[in-house]
Each structure stands twice: as C-alpha cells, then as structure tokens.
C-alpha cells in the first residue's frame, strides 16, 4: 500500500510537468489546427538554455524561466511568421506537419553541433533533495515543478479567459472567418498563440532538464508522449491535456512500481486506444469547434 | 567500457542531412592517398590502416573518442620511427553510425584504397557487418568497441576484441567480489534493475545467476525500456523490498537516473553496482553530485587513475595533443589506442605486420595493452575480467581483485549525502 501511494504521488508530480508541455501543444492545435511536431524539440531547447545559464552564470534553473520563456516566445513567433504563415491551400495541416518536423530536426542538429550527443542534466544543489511527508518521499524539484506548472497553467487560463487577446483566441478557435469579420487579426493571434505554445515548452524544459538526463535526440520520446497526451485529452482542450497528462503520469508510475516497468508506458497506450475506441474525440475534445 | 548499441536509433533520421554532407566531405578528404598499395616489407612504404568511424550520427561522441585514440597512437608510433620503420598512415572515413555505410566504407578501404590493414569501428552494431567484410578479404580485424554477443556469435577467426572480456561479462568481477566475502558478511537479498538492450540486461542476469546459486535471494528483477526517462517508480518498487544489494544493468543516463531516484527516495542499499555510467570519472559526479558517489561500484577496463603500465604516459600524450584533463578522457580512446599497441607488439615479436601473421600471432600468448593483458578464444572473445572500481573519497579506485587494487572495498555503502 505504501509503495502504491508513493507511486501515485510520483505520478501526479511528473504528470504536472507533462501537462505544461502538452498545454502549449494543444493551444497551438486549438488556434491553428496544426500539430506542432517541434514542441518536444522546443522543450529540449529550453532545457539546454537553462543548462547554459546555470553552468555559465550560475543562474538558478527555476529563475532562468524568466529568461527562457520570452526567448522561446520570440522563437515561436518567428517560426510561425516565417515558416507557417506562408503555407497556403487545402493541405496546410499536412504541410505544417512537415514544416514543424523540419523545425524539430533543425533544432536537434543545432543542439548536436553546439553540445554534442552526450547525455547531460541540470544539477543545482537541491536537485536530489526530498521532503519526508507522513513517511512518503516528495522530491523538492518535482514538487516545485508541479506547483510552477499549476501557476503557469493558471496564467495561461487567465490570459485566454480574461484578456482581450484571449477573447480573440477563443473567437478564432470557434469561427476564424467570423472572428476576422469582427476585426480579430487572425494572423497576429496565430503568431502570438504559437509563441505562447513555445513559451510553455521553455518553462517545461527548464524543469525537464533537472528531472531527466537529456541530449538533442530526447525530443523524439517527448513528442510521442506529448502527442498521446494531447490526443487522449482531446485535441485543442487545455483542461483535457492536463487531465490526460496526470492520467499518463499516474498510470505509468503505478504499473512501473507495482507490476513491471516494461509495461509502464504501454499501459498508457492501452488507455489511449480504449478511449479512442469508445470516444474518438478524446476525453474532453469538442464535438464541434470551440473548446479550448 | 562503452556499450552503446542502437539506443535512440530514431534519432538517426534526425541527422540525415548532416550524414550526407559529412560523408561526402570526409570521403573527399580521404580519397587523396589511394593507390600505391605497398604491403611488401622492406620497401619502407607507409603502413596504411583503414578505419571507419561514427563521426556523425548517434555514436558520434564515442566515434570521435575512438578517432582521438587511433590518431594519438599514430602520432606516438610515428614519433618513435613508425612500425618496422614504416610510417603509419591512417585513413579514417565516416559511417554516420550506419551499418550499411560501414560495409561500403570497409569495402572501399580494402578494395579501392588498398589499405594494408583495418581497425574496427565503434559499437557492436557496426562491428558485426564490418568484421564480415574484413573476413571476406582475409584481413585481420582488431576492434576496440564491439563486444556484444552478436560479434562473437559470428565465429570469425580474424577478429580480436580489445577489451578484457565480452561486454556482457562486465559484472562478473562484482559477483566475484561479493562471493569472496565471508558468508556472514554477504548480502542476503538482491534486486536487479535492467535496461532492455543486448548488453545491459545480460550483465545483470549473469550476476543474478551466480548470486542465486550462492543463496542470495532475488527480491526484485525487472527490465525497463530504453525510453524510460524517470526511474523513480522503479526504484520505489525496489525500495519497498529493501534488498541488501542493488545491481543496475545500466548504460549511462539510466544509471544516473537510478541513483538520483535512490537519493530522492532516501533508499540506501548496502551494496550498489551500476554496470555503466558510474565508471565515468567526469560525467558521473556531474550528474549525481560528487558527495553522492561515495561507495558506488562499477566495472572498468581503463580510467584516469588506472595503474596499468603505460597509462600515465598515454594520459600525458593525450593531454599534450588534445588538451583537457585526465578525467575527461573517454575509455574508448584508450581502447582504440590499445588496438595500435597490439599491432606494434606483433611487429616486435614477428618482424612482420601482414594480416595472416597478425591473426596467427594474436591467437596465442598474452598481450599487454592499456586495458590489461589480453588473450582471446578462437572467435576473438577476450578471456580476462574487467576490474571492480568503486568511488571512494571522491575518486574512482580499483578495489578488486586485491592484486592491483588501490584501496580496500568500502562496504557497506555510506548513506547518500543528499
């Protein structure tokens, strides 16, 4: 029983970080209806930026988020403006898959060139610390990362629900043509949306670099996880992706600890397949356009 | 002892562009010295040695480490007058970590560039196809980085693996040590966490078989897939069983993750062995924090504080040529360097360096290298043992066997520093 509860605690804390990564992914899909295959690479880029800031300037990895998120926001805006906006025609979704995959490969190549392919991680003094709470171990980094993810998700929610930009985003998601007729600058919304998605990747990357060893090729595993989280949650639903990330974290953790690690990730795919069979639009995916 | 196989092979297509450009550039650079042949002794033509290495792609870091080792040996040998008076000329081409490219490269080196000899590439994945090409043309195949079961299963008689034992036997020395303890001090229970790849899991399985035969009870034995980023759930499963000894059949990143998880879960086994990762003098303390290394066991062939003859000179030459510090030298460089040392030994003993002489000569006797005194069975599998190393007082030290040990083993393992 003790091991089970410990596994659930671990799963929830880990799921929180994936929720942050996946929220950016699903936001981009919600606004532009494109699947961003570069999201994992952006997370790894964020992790490397954090690594450099930490090893070169001694900047705390959590504090480095203040620098990495605006930087990757800009990267996201530039990618959208330069590479995605020019896409035209009925096959934009398919073309954007190729373009974002190319962005992922470019980031991987640049990082390999700059850092080599050896695994590395960000190792502040408190990286291995944990609190003992009622006999259970709670990792300091995981806990702070989880809380940070909640704060950032709340900020994202606030932006979408309470600001003029958020209303523009939601209008664009619901009906792009009508939104444009009402004066929403869809192009601008898309650019900022892509930037926001990249910014969440940066924040998640800072944390990811402390939790896991990574190298430039780490994004392949990440993107496959993120895509399954986003599909399980329902493409375009931020709340759905948060729930799905927690389901993934807890399911993998329990199966790894209590049964066999080899089935840990597989369990999640079983859940995904079952959900897609019974509810093809995912847990919280909208039947019609408009949920975010 | 680097044992990578195909981990992260999905990353391969990530480097597609770089591979093509790199391969073209390198083949252009290396195509200059063709022709000439000149394997006849006495003419003092250069001794041309062809090598394919992973200078790009998944194995590029290790491939470049092997390149540094080969090139350092070349410059040291040439400074001393070459091999039998012939200057050593290396022809190194890039295989982009690709098993198809490695076949093309060795075929070209042998049939087009007509090199006198070939040395091996990096990883078992590439050594298997490369050694078949060498065998077809009756070339000897001294190779420093292909020690997986698939290499020896080919039953090639031209192959010699330049490490102390097959890589799956990397943990045998830990079993030897534990079973050498008096029964009262031996651990009673053991847990095994194994990476699912052809090198790592068999290392732990070999230890488990010997422990079980000696009455050490297995309380946890699980394999995890290579994409497992977070080891905490696995370690929490092990911690629940509270074993005396934990054996990690690991590569590098997962070994670091296992130990980080143990620290976070405040789980302290009495004995902890990681087959890889913990034997990296530079990366391991950087990944888990130096104070947390204390008492962790691993096995190694060469490392910076190795007491093997010639090691200090190798380090001095290496730093003079490439800079850096001793702890940053990848063992792969020492293994590649040792391939060259073997060739020089054969030349010294026989006065010849043709392929048939190398093959027949290396099949008997014991041969000193930076990775120990080597001898092989008929299929090139080394018949020695790795040494048991342990982190003590912030340094990686040889602790077993007693002959050649720098320190007595530290047991039980001190608690994590946190």
């Amino acid at each position: 029983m003790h091991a089970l509860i410990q596994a659930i605690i671990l799963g929830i804390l880990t799921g929180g970080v994936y929720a942050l990564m996946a929220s950016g992914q699903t936001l981009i899909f919600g606004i532009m209806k494109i699947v961003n295959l570069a999201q994992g690479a952006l997370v790894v880029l964020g992790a490397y930026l954090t690594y450099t800031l930490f090893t070169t300037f001694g900047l705390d990895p959590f504090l480095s988020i203040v620098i990495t998120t605006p930087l990757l926001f800009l990267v996201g805006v530039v990618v959208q403006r330069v590479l995605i906006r020019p896409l035209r025609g009925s096959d934009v979704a398919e073309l954007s898959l190729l373009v974002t995959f190319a962005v992922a490969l470019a980031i991987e190549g640049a990082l390999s060139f700059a850092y080599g392919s050896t695994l590395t991680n960000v190792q502040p003094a408190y990286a291995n610390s944990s609190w003992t709470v009622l006999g259970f171990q709670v990792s300091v980094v995981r806990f702070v990362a989880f809380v940070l993810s909640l704060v950032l998700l709340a900020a994202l929610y606030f932006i979408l629900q309470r600001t003029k930009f958020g209303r523009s985003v939601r209008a664009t998601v619901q009906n792009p043509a009508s939104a444009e007729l009402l004066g929403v600058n869809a192009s601008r919304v898309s650019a900022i949306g892509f930037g926001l998605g990249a910014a969440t990747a940066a924040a998640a990357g800072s944390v990811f670099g402390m939790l896991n060893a990574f190298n430039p090729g780490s994004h392949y595993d990440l993107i496959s996880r993120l895509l399954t989280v986003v599909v399980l949650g329902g493409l375009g639903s931020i709340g759905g992706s948060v729930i799905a990330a927690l389901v993934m974290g807890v399911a993998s953790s329990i199966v790894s600890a209590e049964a066999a690690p080899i089935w840990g990730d597989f369990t999640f795919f079983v859940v995904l397949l079952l959900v897609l069979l019974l509810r093809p639009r995912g847990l919280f995916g909208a039947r019609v356009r408009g949920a975010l | 002892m680097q044992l990578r196989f195909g981990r992260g092979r999905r990353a391969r297509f990530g480097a597609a562009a770089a591979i093509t450009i790199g391969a073209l550039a390198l083949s252009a650079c290396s195509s200059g010295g063709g022709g000439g042949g000149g394997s006849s002794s006495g003419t003092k033509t250069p001794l041309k040695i062809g090598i394919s290495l992973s200078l790009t792609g998944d194995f590029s870091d290790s491939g470049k480490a092997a390149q540094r080792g080969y090139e350092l040996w070349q410059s040291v040998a040439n400074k001393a007058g070459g091999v039998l008076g012939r200057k050593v000329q290396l022809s190194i081409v890039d295989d982009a970590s690709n098993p198809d490219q490695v076949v093309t490269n060795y075929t070209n080196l042998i049939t087009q560039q007509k090199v006198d000899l070939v040395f091996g590439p990096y990883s078992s994945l590439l050594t298997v196809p490369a050694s078949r090409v060498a065998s077809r043309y009756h070339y000897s195949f001294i190779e420093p980085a292909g020690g997986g079961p698939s290499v020896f299963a080919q039953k090639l008689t031209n192959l010699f693996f330049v490490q102390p034992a097959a890589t799956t036997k990397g943990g045998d020395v830990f079993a030897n040590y534990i079973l050498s303890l008096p029964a009262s001090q031996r651990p009673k229970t053991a847990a095994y966490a194994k990476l699912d790849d052809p090198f790592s899991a068999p290392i732990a399985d070999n230890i488990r078989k010997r422990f079980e035969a000696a009455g050490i009870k297995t309380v946890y034995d699980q394999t995890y897939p290579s994409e497992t980023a977070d080891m905490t759930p696995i370690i929490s499963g092990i911690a629940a069983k509270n074993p005396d000894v934990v054996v990690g059949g690991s590569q590098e990143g997962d070994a670091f993750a296992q130990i980080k998880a143990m620290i976070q879960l405040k789980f302290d086994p009495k004995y902890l062995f990681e087959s890889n990762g913990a034997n990296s003098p530079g990366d391991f303390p950087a990944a888990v924090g130096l104070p947390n290394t204390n008492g962790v066991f691993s096995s190694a062939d060469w490392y910076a504080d190795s007491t093997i003859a010639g090691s200090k000179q190798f380090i001095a030459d290496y730093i003079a040529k490439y800079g850096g510090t001793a702890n940053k030298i990848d063992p792969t460089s020492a293994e590649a360097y040792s391939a060259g040392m073997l060739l020089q030994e054969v030349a010294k003993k026989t006065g010849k360096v043709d392929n048939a002489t190398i093959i027949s000569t290396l099949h008997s006797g014991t041969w000193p290298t930076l990775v120990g005194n080597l001898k092989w069975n008929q299929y090139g599998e080394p018949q020695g043992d790795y040494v048991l190393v342990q982190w003590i007082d912030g340094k990686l030290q040889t602790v077993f066997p007693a002959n050649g040990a720098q320190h007595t083993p530290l047991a039980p393992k001190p608690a994590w520093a946190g």
Side-chain angles (χ1 to χ4, degrees):
Chain A
M1 194 59 196
H2 184 275
L4 180 70
I5 296 172
Q6 180 74 60
I8 292 172
I9 294 172
L10 287 169
I12 290 174
L13 296 183
T14 308
V17 180
Y18 282 104
L20 187 57
M21 298 178 199
S23 63
Q25 175 93 337
T26 211
L27 176 71
I28 289 171
F29 180 85
I31 297 173
M32 282 171 277
K33 296 292 170 283
I34 65 170
V35 176
N36 176 22
L37 292 181
Q39 186 75 357
L42 290 167
V43 170
V44 176
L45 177 60
Y48 271 107
L49 285 174
T50 304
Y51 174 78
T52 301
L53 289 170
F54 176 69
T55 52
T56 312
F57 303 106
L59 187 65
D60 183 88
F62 284 115
L63 284 180
S64 72
I65 290 173
V66 180
I67 296 174
T68 58
T69 42
L71 266 179
L72 257 69
F73 175 82
L74 286 178
V75 170
V77 169
V78 169
V79 166
Q80 199 279 336
R81 290 263 152 164
V82 176
L83 298 173
I84 294 174
R85 194 167 64 159
L87 300 178
R88 292 276 182 273
S90 57
D91 51 358
V92 167
E94 290 87 343
L95 287 174
S96 65
L97 269 180
L98 290 176
V99 168
T100 54
F101 188 53
V103 171
L105 295 185
I107 292 173
E108 182 192 350
L111 290 175
S112 297
F113 184 74
Y115 295 95
S117 60
T118 308
L119 286 166
T120 187
N121 71 352
V122 185
Q123 184 76 16
Y126 52 82
N128 298 319
S129 307
S130 56
W131 296 304
T132 307
V133 182
L134 302 173
F136 299 101
Q137 303 304 327
V138 181
S139 149
V140 173
V141 170
R142 279 167 207 270
F143 183 77
V144 175
F146 180 76
V147 172
L148 183 80
S149 298
L150 292 186
V151 169
L152 291 173
L153 286 169
L156 192 60
Y157 182 82
F158 177 81
I159 289 172
L160 291 175
Q161 296 296 328
R162 298 294 164 88
T163 65
K164 193 170 171 220
F165 168 72
R167 277 196 294 279
S168 308
V169 169
R170 286 184 289 131
T172 309
V173 170
Q174 282 172 10
N175 195 327
S178 303
E180 284 211 65
L181 285 174
L182 291 169
V184 171
N185 183 341
S187 161
R188 187 166 156 269
V189 165
S190 295
I192 295 178
F194 206 96
L196 275 180
T200 64
S206 297
V207 177
F208 179 77
M210 278 187 280
L211 295 179
N212 302 296
F214 57 93
N215 69 8
S218 299
H219 71 101
Y220 294 102
D221 283 335
L222 268 179
I223 193 64
S224 63
R225 278 163 210 259
L226 292 183
L227 287 176
T228 47
V229 164
V230 168
V231 171
L232 178 63
L235 275 160
S237 163
I238 288 179
S241 67
V242 172
I243 301 286
L246 293 175
V247 168
M248 180 186 82
V250 172
S252 299
S253 182
I254 290 178
V255 174
S256 294
E258 294 287 305
I262 205 94
W263 301 114
D265 288 340
F266 182 73
T267 314
F268 178 72
F269 286 101
V270 171
V271 175
L272 177 69
L273 285 173
L274 285 177
V275 169
L276 289 184
L277 278 175
L278 299 173
R279 197 178 156 83
R281 60 184 184 274
L283 287 176
F284 297 89
R287 193 183 296 276
V288 291
R289 296 177 72 102
L292 194 65
Chain B
M1 185 172 55
Q2 296 281 311
L3 313 174
R4 276 167 222 152
F5 192 70
R7 224 182 144 194
R9 286 190 59 194
R10 269 171 288 179
R12 176 152 300 123
F13 59 144
I19 286 167
T20 316
I21 295 165
L24 284 172
L26 279 156
S27 58
C29 292
S30 59
S31 60
S39 62
S40 62
S41 58
T43 57
K44 304 300 180 194
T45 51
L47 179 67
K48 291 203 292 183
I49 303 174
I51 309 164
S52 173
L53 284 174
S54 304
L55 304 177
T56 53
D58 287 359
F59 306 142
S60 59
D61 281 2
S62 302
K64 286 175 189 158
Q67 182 185 26
R68 289 193 292 275
Y70 282 135
E71 290 182 345
L72 179 62
W73 169 75
Q74 176 196 28
S75 61
V76 170
N78 283 342
K79 222 176 271 175
V83 176
L84 299 178
R86 296 169 68 182
K87 289 280 179 197
V88 176
Q89 197 178 79
L90 297 184
S91 185
I92 295 179
V93 288
D94 182 21
D95 53 47
S97 315
N98 182 323
D100 297 324
Q101 187 61 42
V102 87
V103 169
T104 307
N105 286 355
Y106 277 103
T107 307
N108 277 339
L109 287 166
I110 293 171
T111 63
Q112 304 301 311
Q113 294 199 36
K114 301 194 188 309
V115 294
D116 299 307
L117 304 169
V118 290
F119 283 162
Y122 184 80
S123 85
S124 294
L125 182 72
L126 304 188
T127 295
V128 169
S131 58
R132 283 190 201 139
V133 175
S135 173
R136 195 179 309 141
Y137 291 101
H138 306 292
Y139 270 57
S140 60
F141 202 69
I142 300 175
E143 54 94 0
S150 55
V151 174
F152 309 116
Q154 301 179 99
K155 302 191 172 175
L156 297 178
T157 52
N158 65 323
L159 181 145
F160 302 91
F161 175 46
V162 192
Q163 287 187 32
T167 45
T168 51
K169 296 186 174 169
D172 289 15
V173 67
F174 179 65
N176 293 346
Y177 159 62
I178 291 290
L179 299 181
S180 76
L181 295 172
S184 60
Q185 289 176 30
R186 263 189 220 167
K188 305 279 181 285
T189 51
Y192 307 87
K194 306 173 297 192
L195 172 66
D196 185 19
D197 88 7
F199 305 116
S200 311
I203 294 179
D205 286 335
N206 284 340
I207 299 176
R208 179 177 50 77
K209 281 177 206 149
R210 295 190 51 200
F211 278 7
E212 285 177 350
I216 299 173
K217 194 176 158 203
T218 300
V219 293
Y220 182 98
D221 182 17
Q222 291 288 354
T223 305
Y224 53 87
S226 62
E227 61 270 20
T228 307
D230 184 6
M231 299 292 299
T232 325
I234 295 167
I235 298 299
S236 85
I238 292 177
K241 309 277 187 192
N242 198 25
D244 294 333
V245 53
V246 173
V247 173
S250 58
Q251 286 290 347
E252 202 167 85
D254 54 320
F256 301 163
Q258 281 188 27
I259 289 175
K260 283 167 73 82
M262 284 183 210
I263 301 166
Q264 288 175 15
L265 293 170
K266 298 191 171 84
F267 167 58
D268 269 302
K270 291 194 187 84
Y271 299 87
L272 171 59
F273 175 82
E274 295 287 348
S275 62
N276 270 293
N279 51 12
S280 170
D283 296 342
F284 182 55
V288 304
L290 187 62
N292 288 315
T293 59
N294 213 15
V296 178
F297 286 103
S298 188
S299 66
D301 55 1
W302 182 89
Y303 62 101
D305 286 320
S306 165
T307 52
I308 289 175
S311 181
K312 295 280 177 280
Q313 187 58 46
F314 164 77
I315 292 171
D317 292 340
Y318 183 101
I319 293 174
K321 188 172 169 75
Y322 303 113
T325 60
N327 274 346
K328 287 284 179 193
I329 302 176
D330 191 314
T332 304
S333 297
E335 288 150 6
Y337 187 96
S338 297
M341 289 172 80
L342 284 173
L343 179 64
Q344 280 177 302
E345 292 287 329
V346 171
K348 200 166 82 181
K349 185 172 177 183
T350 64
K352 292 190 277 187
V353 283
D354 62 282
N355 284 292
T357 303
I358 293 170
I359 293 170
S360 64
T361 309
L362 287 180
H363 272 303
S364 62
T366 302
W367 301 86
T369 67
L370 290 180
V371 297
N373 294 326
L374 304 184
K375 60 173 192 279
W376 297 268
N377 71 6
Q378 57 181 323
Y379 303 128
E381 181 179 337
Q383 301 297 298
D385 267 319
Y386 290 92
V387 293
L388 185 65
V389 291
Q390 189 180 26
W391 284 87
I392 301 172
D393 300 331
K395 270 174 67 178
L396 195 57
Q397 312 209 36
T398 304
V399 293
F400 191 86
N403 177 19
Q406 295 162 298
H407 204 287
T408 50
L410 180 63
K413 189 187 86 60
W416 300 115

